[in-house]
Amino acid sequence: MPSNLKNNAGSWLGARHGRKEDSRLVVGEGQYISDIVLPRMLHATFVRSEYAHAKILSIDTSAAEALTGVVSVVTGADIVDELRAMPQPVLLPNLPAKYPTFYPLSVDKVKFHGAPVALVIARDKYIAVDAAELVAIEYEELPVVVDPEAALEPDAPIVNDDHDHNEIFSMTFTGGETESEQESNAKAVEEIFKTADAVIKERFRVHRTGVTPMEPRGALCSWSDSDGLTAWITTQRPHIDRLALADLLDIPASKIRVIAPRDQGGGFGVKAPFYRENIIIAHMARKLRHPVRWIESRHESLMNVGQERDQIHYLEVAASKDGKLLALRNRGIADTGTGETGVYWGFVMPFLGAVEMPNGYTWDKADISLRAAVTNKACLTPSRAFGNLPPRFAIERAIDMVAHKIGMEPADMRRKNLVSELPYTSTTGEYFDSGDFIKVWDNLISQLDLVAFRKEQAAALKRGQYIGIGFGTGVELSGVASELMVPMENQPGYGAATVRLDPRGKVQVFSGDAPGGQGHETTTAQVVAHAFGINPADTIVTTGDTGTTPFGSGTIGARAGSYFMSAVHKACTELKIKIARILAHDLSIEANVDDFNFTNGEVIYRSDPTKKKKFTEIAERIIMHPINMPEGEVGGLDATAFFEAAKPMICFNADFCIVEVNPTNGEFKIQKWVTSEDVGNVINPLIVDGQMHGAIVQGLSNAVFEQFIYDEQGQQLTADFENYKLANAADMPDIQITYAPTPCPHTPLGTRGIGEGRPSSVPGALTNAVCDALTPFGIEITELPLRPSSIWKKIQDAKN
């Protein structure tokens, strides 16, 4: 793909280096959880509820237990005295919420269609599936609530019996900490709205959709009295899973090892929570003294996880007649489902979305609040664009609507209101550490001639063609600092890496985070190669094994490019200092690390290039021959480093797309999609391009194709790919990725992370383009998904 980013000459940083991971993956030599087989391994299958809300009157497991090959059938009643209930402290955010109490299997009642009710364990996975169908369950149906606004009504059916209402979380994010401060702020905002030249007030709705990894979840657990529990789990956060399993199973953490398989077919946030299924699989492995494996089916996956977004926003924007954004007022409502997912509880995503709602625009005042409701749906789980996609859709649409109202070019209005000087603190208190939003925007606009486009648009309309352009922007977290992670998830945000040299000058890097296909092995090897002056092929990366890696909070929030790579660089720098000190001693010179060049596999004394040593030779000397060393120095080349930025860090992006809409049927085609990205200094443009392509495709798929649908009885109707439509390659436009980088001053390499939040600006930009194309009809779209049928109906309503 075309790019305006140039490689850094003579450096592995900025090089379009081919992915190290791909060679094994394309020939089928990747190791996924289904590839891991242990002796005496048993297979588990869950029996899941057919109802969204019902009392469990009885469970008859006798027929299943009688089937040859069945080892055990377990129900919720069997485990309540054997396991601790959720929640546990390690899984609780430091946020005031009504956390539900629940077990790995439903006890007494089920709360959503697909809830786990029983577990069958057999010697063969096919026997386990057959036996699961023999488990007979008698239910008494209860009233169902699947609409979040209805769930917040006083007379709504109660989802979680340990609470007296369905509001799991609420917060006001603006005005101050006290109620009086918030009320004073609300009054000030109201005064702005009373006198503003232009005001828009709309209800925006984003449907329940999310992300669908190629590989569903899975767990394989093994127990021995000597070593304890070893658990292979498809997870982005093995170290967090280890702590949670220790607490819930009452096992010392020292007796638990969690390993994320080397390869995972995508995560995108879905594999970040701590799930109930992993608890019961680990428990049964210990109880039966056999390895037990559970591999989630695609049906189970679509029933239980990957569901996010699902927010309503009553949004108001006030502006002056010259296009200055003055005030923002929003009442957000989120449908969290049952709220029964460890770490995130369904509401943490909407919480962050509310924090980041002002986006990269300046507002004199804002009044932003959120209410999160539990319903009889599967619990929301994290998805790429963590909580941001719905409020960002609302904001980007609202800005276009204001521009239409005052007769201003939407592109000009955005530039006028972008934050122009950083650092900056938003009206919700979000800190923007550095960057240049105007530079990113101007780079985007330089990719088209907007004046010429408007002329062509007018000419096309005379020919009966409806074309339009839409814009969107996004401030995204570049990693998540402990300052935010501790209150949001009760966990640290620092990055950690161990770098170890072997006697042949090869490098091993150990990371506690667990990637899911992003290319971390490649970019890590490039950072190491840049530091030591060696080839990336000389570096091996081990990830996600709590037995061998330093503690890591997980692959979340775009932490790799900012936090983890910074920790890798710090560890490499520590080793370079040691290498330089010993080499200077051996060469009988007074020198420090800055006096040496690490390049082309050699360590060279700058003042006298004849004084040098091969990198492999100095590594072998220090590790294998630690004699005649400098005073106080010992052998070995092994360093663990931690990185924490002084302040939270951000990245920024902007998009435009051009569409053509057919008014006779509402169908539209994306003719062009262009982005402008600030990811700081780019380690590998090939990797970043891939991340951006994937994020935009996910955003478009969410906006147009995907939708989890529940009927009035809470039945999930979209638990297969026949009914849950994903975008494919033929549906997608050509995507042009361009860059306007500003090096981050808070990371040693000037890098920023970006991949996590990137889809958030996509639905707004696309819908803005469709509305722009249909300007003659005066159409404003406020709900997703964006389907031809809904567009056609809008056109018909406008005609009438």
Side-chain angles (χ1 to χ4, degrees):
M1 283 291 171
S3 173
N4 61 340
L5 187 69
K6 297 180 181 179
N7 289 349
N8 297 327
S11 171
W12 284 110
L13 292 187
R16 289 181 171 269
H17 185 56
R19 285 171 38 113
K20 289 168 62 71
E21 299 90 332
D22 290 351
S23 59
R24 69 173 182 271
L25 298 178
V26 297
V27 297
E29 293 181 354
Q31 187 182 67
Y32 299 87
I33 194 163
S34 295
D35 298 314
I36 303 170
V37 177
L38 299 179
R40 303 169 57 246
M41 184 174 71
L42 304 176
H43 301 264
T45 294
F46 286 92
V47 180
R48 297 187 179 271
S49 169
E50 300 174 0
Y51 297 96
H53 199 198
K55 289 182 180 178
I56 300 173
L57 300 180
S58 66
I59 304 177
D60 184 355
T61 63
S62 58
E65 291 170 328
L67 192 66
T68 302
V70 171
V71 176
S72 180
V73 182
V74 184
T75 68
D78 298 327
I79 63 170
V80 290
D81 295 327
E82 298 176 352
L83 295 172
R84 293 179 180 174
M86 294 260 267
Q88 290 295 321
V90 70
L91 303 172
L92 285 180
N94 289 321
L95 294 169
K98 300 280 285 185
Y99 297 98
T101 300
F102 67 101
Y103 287 87
L105 299 174
S106 300
V107 180
D108 297 330
K109 80 168 188 174
V110 295
K111 303 175 188 177
F112 71 99
H113 180 206
V117 180
L119 179 69
V120 176
I121 298 175
R123 302 190 185 282
D124 180 280
K125 63 180 179 180
Y126 302 105
I127 295 173
V129 171
D130 290 343
E133 295 179 356
L134 298 176
V135 176
I137 306 172
E138 184 180 358
Y139 296 98
E140 178 187 321
E141 290 190 69
L142 297 171
V144 171
V145 60
V146 292
D147 177 82
E149 292 182 291
L152 294 171
E153 293 295 327
D155 58 349
I158 299 299
V159 176
N160 293 313
D161 290 342
D162 48 345
H163 301 148
D164 56 5
H165 57 75
N166 290 323
E167 183 181 273
I168 187 173
F169 174 80
S170 65
M171 180 175 283
T172 297
F173 295 81
T174 47
E177 297 295 327
T178 68
E179 188 173 331
S180 62
E181 289 174 324
Q182 292 167 2
E183 288 177 356
S184 176
N185 177 71
K187 290 178 182 178
V189 170
E190 175 61 21
E191 288 302 312
I192 294 175
F193 274 94
K194 286 179 180 179
T195 59
D197 297 322
V199 173
I200 68 103
K201 182 178 181 180
E202 292 288 345
R203 178 185 187 270
F204 295 90
R205 178 70 195 258
V206 174
H207 58 303
R208 181 170 282 228
T209 182
V211 291
T212 309
M214 288 187 291
E215 180 195 28
R217 298 176 296 152
L220 168 58
C221 298
S222 177
W223 173 267
S224 76
D225 290 335
S226 58
D227 296 329
L229 176 70
T230 302
W232 289 264
I233 300 174
T234 52
T235 177
Q236 295 167 224
R237 316 184 73 178
H239 284 272
I240 301 301
D241 284 10
R242 173 176 175 262
L243 295 177
L245 286 171
D247 291 349
L248 284 156
L249 300 176
D250 200 20
I251 300 171
S254 59
K255 299 277 280 186
I256 297 180
R257 180 181 182 184
V258 174
I259 305 169
R262 183 183 187 186
D263 298 305
Q264 294 190 64
F268 311 116
V270 169
K271 294 171 183 174
F274 180 74
Y275 287 112
R276 65 206 306 176
E277 289 91 347
N278 301 335
I279 306 168
I280 189 69
I281 297 300
H283 172 64
M284 293 308 297
R286 177 177 59 171
K287 187 172 183 179
L288 297 174
R289 296 298 199 268
H290 274 265
V292 179
R293 185 172 75 178
W294 166 67
I295 303 296
E296 183 179 49
S297 70
R298 182 60 66 186
H299 180 79
E300 286 180 293
S301 179
L302 290 170
M303 290 279 285
N304 284 271
V305 298
Q307 301 186 26
E308 217 234 67
R309 323 313 183 197
D310 212 351
Q311 295 180 34
I312 299 166
H313 292 279
Y314 289 92
L315 179 67
E316 301 171 70
V317 171
S320 64
K321 59 186 177 183
D322 64 351
K324 175 70 176 71
L325 295 173
L326 301 175
L328 166 65
R329 181 159 56 199
N330 185 64
R331 300 292 177 260
I333 298 172
D335 182 342
T336 68
T338 62
E340 294 180 332
T341 299
V343 180
Y344 298 99
W345 303 95
F347 73 83
V348 175
M349 292 76 70
F351 161 83
L352 185 61
V355 170
E356 299 198 306
M357 187 168 202
N359 204 3
Y361 305 109
T362 57
W363 307 85
D364 293 345
K365 286 281 186 179
D367 179 10
I368 298 172
S369 64
L370 171 72
R371 297 182 73 192
V374 291
T375 62
N376 293 118
K377 296 179 184 175
C379 183
L380 284 194
T381 54
S383 288
R384 205 173 189 180
F386 190 99
N388 271 322
L389 192 144
R392 197 142 295 168
F393 168 73
I395 284 289
E396 293 299 333
R397 281 270 52 235
I399 289 174
D400 262 40
M401 293 167 77
V402 172
H404 297 163
K405 191 165 189 174
I406 64 175
M408 188 174 185
E409 168 62 57
D412 294 340
M413 188 169 186
R414 280 178 172 77
R415 191 184 192 281
K416 181 183 184 74
N417 290 283
L418 282 173
V419 173
S420 59
E421 294 185 11
L422 284 85
Y424 176 86
T425 301
S426 78
T427 53
T428 59
E430 183 182 14
Y431 181 78
F432 300 166
D433 69 296
S434 62
D436 189 335
F437 296 178
I438 301 297
K439 175 183 175 182
V440 173
W441 179 261
D442 288 347
N443 174 64
L444 179 76
I445 296 302
S446 72
Q447 310 302 317
L448 80 153
D449 185 334
L450 188 55
V451 173
F453 173 81
R454 290 302 183 194
K455 291 179 180 178
E456 168 58 22
Q457 184 182 38
L461 184 59
K462 291 179 180 179
R463 299 191 300 267
Q465 289 180 279
Y466 293 78
I467 61 174
I469 189 167
F471 299 92
T473 68
V475 173
E476 314 294 353
L477 294 176
S478 174
V480 188
S482 293
E483 181 177 301
L484 178 58
M485 275 284 282
V486 171
M488 190 170 74
E489 298 185 18
N490 199 21
Q491 292 153 14
Y494 54 73
T498 296
V499 176
R500 178 180 302 155
L501 271 67
D502 72 16
R504 301 295 181 260
K506 306 301 182 182
V507 184
Q508 290 178 281
V509 180
F510 298 89
S511 167
D513 301 340
Q518 299 96 322
H520 289 181
E521 291 181 34
T522 303
T523 48
T524 301
Q526 286 180 255
V527 170
V528 171
H530 169 77
F532 290 137
I534 60 177
N535 194 291
D538 293 332
T539 296
I540 299 296
V541 182
T542 297
T543 61
D545 182 345
T546 64
T548 61
T549 63
F551 182 90
S553 289
T555 302
I556 58 169
R559 295 177 69 245
S562 51
Y563 282 75
F564 173 64
M565 297 304 169
S566 295
V568 171
H569 179 78
K570 280 186 67 177
C572 289
T573 300
E574 288 183 29
L575 295 178
K576 287 173 68 175
I577 292 170
K578 182 173 183 176
I579 289 169
R581 190 162 56 241
I582 295 172
L583 182 55
H585 170 80
D586 290 353
L587 295 174
S588 300
I589 58 176
E590 292 289 333
N592 59 39
V593 67
D594 295 329
D595 298 315
F596 289 95
N597 282 329
F598 287 69
T599 182
N600 294 323
E602 295 183 315
V603 184
I604 305 170
Y605 184 45
R606 294 175 190 266
S607 299
D608 183 357
T610 64
K611 295 181 177 181
K612 61 183 179 179
K613 203 164 201 177
K614 289 183 178 179
F615 186 78
T616 53
E617 292 175 347
I618 188 67
E620 183 168 13
R621 179 266 190 272
I622 295 172
I623 297 170
M624 298 299 293
H625 309 125
I627 58 174
N628 300 321
M629 300 281 276
E631 185 177 353
E633 195 63 81
V634 295
L637 288 170
D638 194 323
T640 297
F642 297 85
F643 174 81
E644 181 82 86
K647 289 285 186 178
M649 300 180 292
I650 55 98
C651 55
F652 184 69
N653 65 270
D655 299 80
F656 79 78
C657 67
I658 296 173
V659 303
E660 180 176 356
V661 183
N662 184 341
T664 62
N665 56 20
E667 292 184 355
F668 60 90
K669 182 178 181 181
I670 303 172
Q671 296 180 339
K672 189 173 188 178
W673 196 287
V674 180
T675 84
S676 180
E677 315 286 345
D678 180 7
V679 297
N681 289 335
V682 178
I683 297 170
N684 186 328
L686 188 69
I687 298 290
V688 180
D689 282 0
Q691 285 289 297
M692 297 306 96
H693 281 94
I696 292 164
V697 168
Q698 284 181 330
L700 292 172
S701 190
N702 279 185
V704 180
F705 298 100
E706 301 176 45
Q707 184 177 15
F708 288 107
I709 298 174
Y710 290 79
D711 67 14
E712 293 180 355
Q713 284 71 48
Q715 294 291 300
Q716 223 271 64
L717 306 179
T718 46
D720 56 55
F721 285 145
E722 182 177 1
N723 295 291
Y724 190 80
K725 165 69 173 163
L726 292 170
N728 59 40
D731 298 315
M732 292 296 104
D734 181 54
I735 299 170
Q736 180 183 345
I737 312 296
T738 72
Y739 295 83
T742 303
C744 179
H746 308 301
T747 58
L749 296 171
T751 54
R752 305 178 192 268
I754 194 170
E756 194 276 334
R758 187 57 181 82
S760 64
S761 59
V762 171
L766 175 63
T767 310
N768 286 338
V770 170
C771 292
D772 186 61
L774 298 175
T775 297
F777 297 100
I779 287 173
E780 299 288 10
I781 296 170
T782 58
E783 291 195 15
L784 295 179
L786 184 65
R787 300 270 169 79
S789 58
S790 62
I791 296 171
W792 179 84
K793 187 176 185 306
K794 285 274 189 182
I795 294 171
Q796 303 314 304
D797 291 344
K799 287 180 177 180
N800 294 331

